[in-house]
Amino acid sequence: MAATLIPPDLNSSSSTDSSSTSNRSISRSLRVAEKAKKGIKAEDPIVAALKYFSKVQKGTPCRGNDEFENNLVTVERVAYSKGLSPEAISVMLEFAMSLRMGTVPCVRVLKCLLPSTVVPHQAVVRAVVWLCVGKLSIATQVLFIKWVLTVFDMIDAKDNLRAIYGFLFSFVTEENLCPYVCHLLYLLTRKECVRLFRVRKLLELHSKLGKQPYLLHLLSLYKVFCPELVTLSFNSRIRAGFGNHNGPWKLALNAIQKRTAVLVPSDLPLALQTQEKAGSRKRKLGHLDLPVLTAVVQSQKQTSLSQMVVPLAQIQSFVQLLENLHLIELPAQMGSLLGSSLALHYLDCVQDESAFLRINFWLGHSLHEEFLFCGHGGASQGSDEAVQFLERLMSTQDFLQEGFSSVEAFLYKFLNVWDGSLLRPQILALLSNVPVVPSTCISRLLSEPLEQLFFTSKVFFKCGLIESLNGMLVKWLTWHSVYALEDGRNVDLDTSMNVSRSGFMLSVGELVRFVGRLATLGLQLEGCHSLLLSFILDFYDTVCDIFQKYGLPLVVMIPRSVFYPALFAFDPISVDRLAKIMNRYKINLTAAKKQEKITGKAFHISLKTYQEFNHYLAFMVNCLWNSRIFQPGDDIELSEELLHESGVPQYWASFSLTNHPAFHCYAIDFHHKCWPERRDVDLKSIQHLQQWGWYLEYLFTQGFDGLRQFIQSNIKTSSRGP
Amino acid sequence: MSVLRPLSKLPDINAASVLLVENEEDFQQKLAGVMVKEKSVMVKVRLAKSLPLPAKNEPNRPRIDLVVFLINLMSELSLQSAEASLKHLGQGYFLGKVCFMVTNARHAALPAERMVAVRKLASGLRCPLLYAEDQTPDGVTNAAERLLVILRVAAGCVPMTTALFLSNLTSCIVPTEEEEQQNLDFDA
């Protein structure tokens, strides 16, 4: 701790520099405040209060000091109502950290330090200097570091904070401070900061304190920057992010930011930089707002150094991006990347693992804080901000054409506590973006939480979920077909987990089986709801074409529990779509057979699949065309006596194309058109050869393309009618 | 000490009655307000702070088709009260006519042990465990709708299915420690 002891006024490169500027800014702010005061008739109490705190002598007692009490109450009131201006933050932080009036006011002041716009970095650096003096109690030190973490996003520039990385690092030895300091260091670390002695220190702590997640996080970041220095292996990924330690400020800050967002900017008395304020709406702490893309390095002197870096914020055009691709410095807050399309282009082509590590960390942290560990019981959930944030996230994922692993991890946790309605469209959309899940994990990660939600929710949720899972299947298959083209056999779908082709097929099979189960039971519970049936047929539209469209040698038959409800549906659309699906199955199976013959390679489509398909096909043709239903050996078998007892005349023809409930009205309409003079409708007359042909033509003109394809490919129409 | 039994009374035609048990009596009011508006069946909602139910109302109480325990995860008392009430429920109810609904599952200050305790309780009794958002009107409506889905099945208003069947499909499963570990390895 020897190096940490720098009194604020000694000449030490960065800290003095910043402290003098901070002093200057304080005095300037007061001058301006006084000027402003002249303009306003009544003296603004906050100005007086700040003046008091900047001038108050050391050793002034605080107990029974009415002046102090009044001023502090004024500051607190302003802080909690609209937040403190940057200058006020400087004054109050200086007052608190210097312990001019002891520890009690220090804690009180720290708790009300709620910035309205930004926190000047000079003030923070100066406060760290006071921290190094070592007079503060540990609890106060922890409080201060927590405060820095809370307002980290609002600190205007971080280069000076980087400059005192070493001083901050020395605090890791303090056991109580260590978790918070590690978090702060994680946010500040750059490649230059990773040194052997620091790695050694962390490893020493690691062996002393055990596997603490905060140490592991920092070490994993070090490893990304300098793999040769950190030999520790992180085989099982680290459990959780840094703890949720926003302390007492977060709620108050959110409230202030909500309020100031609607206020006219001039309402803040001491704020001077209108430019900053214009951006202040976006500079909110709430994780849901994307931070503005700002550079870590603000001063230009850095560029004269040997390592040239170009902050991403200074890049204006695509050409510039290309020219400086190797010099790009990532912004302080990775979240800001989501807001800029140029940054996304950069992220797309950059090979640097640290960029992805950092953005994943940021996303995981934000999502967990906002949706899984809510401070207020989730009252403001589902707000516009949350919706916008998630939509931005989705558009980013679409742009990069890959999902973030932290989003995936968040989603699995969220599904376990989801009520099924909160942010439903967004969550379902995120769900359909989930990358390939190993087949052994599908039941645990997806089936268990989703099944319960599915079976206990209304039919609209059921439809939404089936649609989302359909989207997921399409995405998986598309990835597969793209990667399979690039690279022969093995499909490397995800950098973190190599999925072999057989593993991928198992996953797809498992997903289809899972949706099949949902479909079966869903149709049963909802009494074959036609809307649900339509979404289920959408899904099988994808499934039946897996081989032809996506080149994956996998054919999974539609289950009986979906086939029969669709075939006997009351609406012609379902029957038509089923016919289309069956036709596609036929095309896929014949193509598979053909390929098997040409290449001679054993194809893993079992004989059972063919048998099952033939069975369906025969039943469908018998039912719609040949008027032969309820034959012995069918899935649907009723005893002769029962059928006779039912009194239905010609029960064997009751699902033919003329009598099927879905087509019955078409048959009657056709009958009217054919024989307009006839009074009593006799559908049997349609079944004569000539009329039957006309009737089919008539049906095809009604838009039943699926049915047409099915009939044309499966039935030789030249032969005869039924 | 009277024990509530599922089949001690005759059902009414096209009616379903649910008993909402909640120690705090706040969320149950909101839910009841939404549930009684259901049109497809006549829904009778009975509210109770805890079980056993007072014996004097016994004659004019309808047959209870579904018992729902509402637990606020932020309160230990709420969980304890539900646990104590369970003793006064006939075994017949545990064949698909009990479910748990918890709120505040996403609260930052929620102790992990309580969450595990609730999951263990629900899975030990083979009952569904539903999560709900009680802070927003949408959340309450959705929770009420989900309860109605279960209630209609439990009261026998949905053909082709039974309470036990649905309960079997939706009952809570506690992952074994080994699975839990795998889970963490995979998604952390």
Side-chain angles (χ1 to χ4, degrees):
Chain A
M1 286 283 271
T4 61
L5 229 144
I6 341 157
D9 293 324
L10 283 185
N11 281 339
S12 165
S13 60
S14 65
S15 50
T16 21
D17 175 34
S18 58
S19 62
S20 63
T21 48
S22 125
N23 271 345
R24 230 182 300 134
S25 77
I26 294 167
S27 58
R28 188 187 56 185
S29 75
L30 289 171
R31 272 205 310 282
V32 177
E34 272 167 354
K35 257 187 231 165
K37 195 173 64 187
K38 279 173 202 160
I40 311 164
K41 280 172 203 161
E43 191 194 26
D44 201 337
I46 181 76
V47 179
L50 289 177
K51 208 160 146 191
Y52 172 80
F53 283 115
S54 64
K55 295 231 171 103
V56 68
Q57 288 300 308
K58 191 176 174 181
T60 316
C62 64
R63 187 166 295 177
N65 186 341
D66 282 347
E67 195 186 3
F68 160 76
E69 187 62 32
N70 288 340
N71 284 327
L72 190 52
V73 166
T74 310
V75 172
E76 279 176 338
R77 207 184 54 233
V78 172
Y80 283 114
S81 61
K82 40 196 169 184
L84 296 172
S85 64
E87 292 74 20
I89 294 276
S90 301
V91 173
M92 296 311 292
L93 192 59
E94 174 70 17
F95 165 76
M97 296 300 284
S98 60
L99 292 182
R100 257 181 273 170
M101 289 170 88
T103 314
V104 182
C106 168
V107 172
R108 214 173 132 187
V109 167
L110 274 178
K111 279 188 179 159
C112 75
L113 274 183
L114 301 162
S116 63
T117 52
V118 292
V119 177
H121 61 280
Q122 300 95 334
V124 180
V125 171
R126 232 182 118 72
V128 173
V129 171
W130 282 112
L131 198 66
C132 294
V133 172
K135 277 188 184 165
L136 291 161
S137 67
I138 289 293
T140 323
Q141 289 181 13
V142 170
L143 191 69
F144 169 70
I145 301 283
K146 276 184 180 176
W147 177 79
V148 176
L149 285 172
T150 313
V151 298
F152 187 81
D153 293 353
M154 305 174 93
I155 299 174
D156 51 6
K158 277 112 187 167
D159 44 348
N160 279 338
L161 275 181
R162 292 246 157 87
I164 53 166
Y165 190 91
F167 294 108
L168 289 169
F169 189 87
S170 63
F171 286 103
V172 293
T173 47
E174 190 62 62
E175 203 167 319
N176 294 330
L177 268 178
C178 186
Y180 310 105
V181 171
C182 281
H183 191 173
L184 187 57
L185 291 175
Y186 188 98
L187 296 171
L188 289 172
T189 303
R190 276 192 302 180
K191 194 166 177 166
E192 308 83 79
C193 305
V194 184
R195 297 285 170 77
L196 186 58
F197 68 91
R198 287 189 187 136
V199 174
R200 276 196 190 133
K201 188 86 214 169
L202 286 180
L203 286 176
E204 185 189 308
L205 282 172
H206 178 251
S207 59
K208 202 169 83 186
L209 299 172
K211 276 193 175 178
Q212 299 296 342
Y214 46 88
L215 282 174
L216 291 178
H217 268 297
L218 191 58
L219 276 167
S220 69
L221 185 69
Y222 277 23
K223 189 168 180 169
V224 166
F225 283 123
C226 296
E228 69 281 3
L229 290 184
V230 187
T231 47
L232 207 65
S233 66
F234 304 95
N235 47 359
S236 69
R237 293 202 239 160
I238 307 152
R239 198 170 274 216
F242 292 101
N244 172 37
H245 39 66
N246 285 324
W249 301 280
K250 199 182 159 192
L251 281 183
L253 259 178
N254 281 342
I256 288 171
Q257 282 155 349
K258 285 245 166 63
R259 248 173 277 150
T260 47
V262 285
L263 276 181
V264 195
S266 61
D267 278 3
L268 302 170
L270 273 173
L272 302 164
Q273 300 147 296
T274 46
Q275 214 182 350
E276 277 297 344
K277 262 187 293 160
S280 70
R281 268 180 64 101
K282 289 183 185 171
R283 274 185 171 272
K284 295 188 221 172
L285 177 81
H287 295 283
L288 297 180
D289 287 286
L290 299 179
V292 179
L293 191 61
T294 49
V296 186
V297 192
Q298 271 206 336
S299 49
Q300 289 302 310
K301 63 185 174 192
Q302 289 271 339
T303 44
S304 62
L305 295 174
S306 58
Q307 35 102 226
M308 281 261 299
V309 286
V310 181
L312 205 47
Q314 287 174 12
I315 304 265
Q316 300 295 331
S317 68
F318 196 69
V319 181
Q320 266 182 317
L321 178 73
L322 288 180
E323 279 166 0
N324 297 305
L325 205 54
H326 56 297
L327 298 172
I328 298 259
E329 156 96 8
L330 289 168
Q333 285 175 270
M334 295 304 282
S336 60
L337 291 184
L338 298 188
S340 145
S341 62
L342 273 177
L344 287 180
H345 275 294
Y346 173 68
L347 203 61
D348 199 22
C349 60
V350 72
Q351 294 293 321
D352 185 6
E353 203 193 327
S354 73
F356 271 97
L357 192 77
R358 282 181 59 196
I359 196 156
N360 260 322
F361 171 77
W362 184 86
L363 272 174
H365 188 72
S366 316
L367 288 168
H368 274 82
E369 297 264 297
E370 289 299 330
F371 299 107
L372 281 175
F373 304 109
C374 329
H376 39 277
S380 72
Q381 296 292 316
S383 61
D384 291 346
E385 285 169 9
V387 171
Q388 273 170 17
F389 176 76
L390 291 178
E391 270 165 7
R392 172 62 62 80
L393 183 57
M394 277 178 288
S395 67
T396 306
Q397 288 193 344
D398 281 349
F399 181 89
L400 296 174
Q401 296 189 352
E402 65 182 306
F404 294 106
S405 60
S406 57
V407 176
E408 198 191 347
F410 156 75
L411 204 59
Y412 296 144
K413 283 190 193 137
F414 188 77
L415 288 181
N416 276 316
V417 292
W418 192 29
D419 75 331
S421 90
L422 182 72
L423 297 165
R424 187 191 293 171
Q426 287 75 28
I427 295 295
L428 287 180
L430 280 180
L431 185 66
S432 66
N433 272 324
V434 165
V436 180
V437 184
S439 58
T440 48
C441 300
I442 284 185
S443 87
R444 195 177 64 243
L445 297 175
L446 295 175
S447 314
E448 278 171 23
L450 289 177
E451 269 184 16
Q452 199 216 39
L453 284 166
F454 183 84
F455 295 130
T456 57
S457 293
K458 294 191 98 177
V459 68
F460 300 107
F461 178 85
K462 292 187 169 100
C463 296
L465 186 60
I466 298 277
E467 191 192 13
S468 164
L469 292 171
N470 186 20
M472 189 194 283
L473 181 66
V474 171
K475 288 246 161 63
W476 289 12
L477 293 170
T478 315
W479 276 328
H480 166 81
S481 57
V482 170
Y483 282 91
L485 281 180
E486 277 180 11
D487 151 43
R489 288 240 177 114
N490 264 350
V491 199
D492 182 24
L493 291 164
D494 192 332
T495 44
S496 64
M497 80 186 141
N498 285 349
V499 183
S500 66
R501 193 185 174 107
S502 60
F504 176 73
M505 275 174 57
L506 281 177
S507 289
V508 171
E510 184 66 26
L511 179 66
V512 174
R513 197 200 59 78
F514 166 55
V515 179
R517 179 178 151 82
L518 290 186
T520 304
L521 295 164
L523 285 173
Q524 182 185 346
L525 290 173
E526 294 293 337
C528 300
H529 199 284
S530 38
L531 187 65
L532 181 61
L533 186 60
S534 157
F535 279 94
I536 292 169
L537 289 176
D538 271 344
F539 180 77
Y540 283 99
D541 242 355
T542 314
V543 172
C544 68
D545 246 354
I546 289 181
F547 178 65
Q548 279 276 290
K549 216 167 161 184
Y550 302 101
L552 190 72
L554 182 76
V555 179
V556 186
M557 256 312 125
I558 189 168
R560 288 162 195 219
S561 48
V562 179
F563 176 81
Y564 290 108
L567 183 60
F568 298 133
F570 283 94
D571 55 323
I573 313 279
S574 300
V575 185
D576 178 61
R577 297 189 62 191
L578 181 70
K580 184 181 165 229
I581 289 171
M582 293 314 285
N583 194 40
R584 291 303 307 176
Y585 267 125
K586 188 184 174 186
I587 293 171
N588 276 269
L589 285 169
T590 14
K593 202 74 170 173
K594 216 176 265 171
Q595 194 177 337
E596 208 170 333
K597 269 184 192 151
I598 294 169
T599 56
K601 251 193 273 173
F603 223 113
H604 297 295
I605 293 172
S606 72
L607 195 62
K608 218 178 138 213
T609 312
Y610 285 102
Q611 283 171 347
E612 213 174 341
F613 173 76
N614 288 334
H615 186 76
Y616 282 147
L617 192 66
F619 185 87
M620 214 164 150
V621 171
N622 275 339
C623 166
L624 294 175
W625 191 269
N626 294 334
S627 306
R628 264 189 293 161
I629 196 176
F630 307 123
Q631 299 285 311
D634 278 347
D635 287 334
I636 304 172
E637 208 178 326
L638 293 176
S639 72
E640 199 91 353
E641 295 144 37
L642 197 67
L643 287 165
H644 278 299
E645 251 172 59
S646 72
V648 179
Q650 294 192 328
Y651 58 81
W652 55 86
S654 50
F655 288 97
S656 71
L657 271 179
T658 47
N659 294 333
H660 193 292
F663 298 105
H664 201 64
C665 57
Y666 290 94
I668 291 171
D669 188 38
F670 175 77
H671 191 274
H672 282 311
K673 284 195 169 121
C674 249
W675 301 281
E677 71 285 356
R678 274 203 214 171
R679 273 302 162 100
D680 44 344
V681 178
D682 179 23
L683 292 181
K684 257 188 255 168
S685 54
I686 298 178
Q687 295 181 357
H688 297 296
L689 192 55
Q690 196 182 18
Q691 277 83 4
W692 184 256
W694 290 346
Y695 177 57
L696 287 184
E697 282 299 316
Y698 165 75
L699 278 184
F700 300 158
T701 57
Q702 303 296 314
F704 296 120
D705 287 337
L707 206 60
R708 192 186 49 189
Q709 289 161 11
F710 178 79
I711 289 177
Q712 283 171 355
S713 77
N714 290 304
I715 299 163
K716 292 198 177 65
T717 38
S718 62
S719 61
R720 52 164 283 277
Chain B
M1 285 285 174
S2 61
V3 172
L4 197 63
R5 299 197 183 281
L7 301 172
S8 57
K9 287 180 179 174
L10 290 174
D12 295 330
I13 291 171
N14 207 19
S17 41
V18 61
L19 176 67
L20 305 179
V21 184
E22 189 198 19
N23 186 37
E24 293 174 356
E25 296 183 282
D26 171 39
F27 186 38
Q28 62 172 201
Q29 295 282 352
K30 294 192 218 163
L31 276 178
V34 180
M35 286 178 82
V36 291
K37 288 181 190 145
E38 171 69 21
K39 297 275 188 333
S40 64
V41 286
M42 201 178 81
V43 176
K44 293 176 191 160
V45 184
R46 311 289 283 199
L47 306 179
K49 195 169 178 195
S50 62
L51 297 182
L53 297 172
K56 68 176 168 61
N57 296 336
E58 181 63 36
N60 53 13
R61 185 181 302 134
R63 188 174 90 163
I64 303 288
D65 295 305
L66 179 70
V67 181
V68 183
F69 289 95
L70 304 169
I71 299 173
N72 176 7
L73 285 177
M74 291 314 289
S75 132
E76 181 70 40
L77 196 63
S78 179
L79 175 60
Q80 283 168 352
S81 154
E83 274 176 340
S85 299
L86 279 168
K87 297 190 183 84
H88 304 282
L89 216 50
Q91 313 92 310
Y93 273 106
F94 294 99
L95 299 173
K97 296 190 173 213
V98 176
C99 83
F100 294 90
M101 182 170 254
V102 295
T103 55
N104 278 324
R106 299 182 301 120
H107 202 286
L110 169 66
E113 306 82 54
R114 198 175 297 152
M115 189 83 179
V116 173
V118 170
R119 288 194 74 125
K120 282 218 171 107
L121 177 68
S123 71
L125 298 167
R126 312 247 160 217
C127 294
L129 175 65
L130 310 184
Y131 295 84
E133 306 287 331
D134 60 338
Q135 308 281 326
T136 52
D138 283 349
V140 174
T141 314
N142 184 62
E145 278 171 356
R146 291 180 72 191
L147 286 182
L148 279 171
V149 168
I150 301 175
L151 175 62
R152 291 184 57 217
V153 174
C157 301
V158 180
M160 305 279 288
T161 181
T162 63
L164 188 57
F165 177 62
L166 184 67
S167 171
N168 250 334
L169 291 176
T170 52
S171 63
C172 174
I173 306 160
V174 172
T176 61
E177 270 176 32
E178 197 180 310
E179 278 178 351
E180 190 82 344
Q181 195 53 47
Q182 275 179 3
N183 210 353
L184 286 174
D185 285 351
F186 180 74
D187 66 17

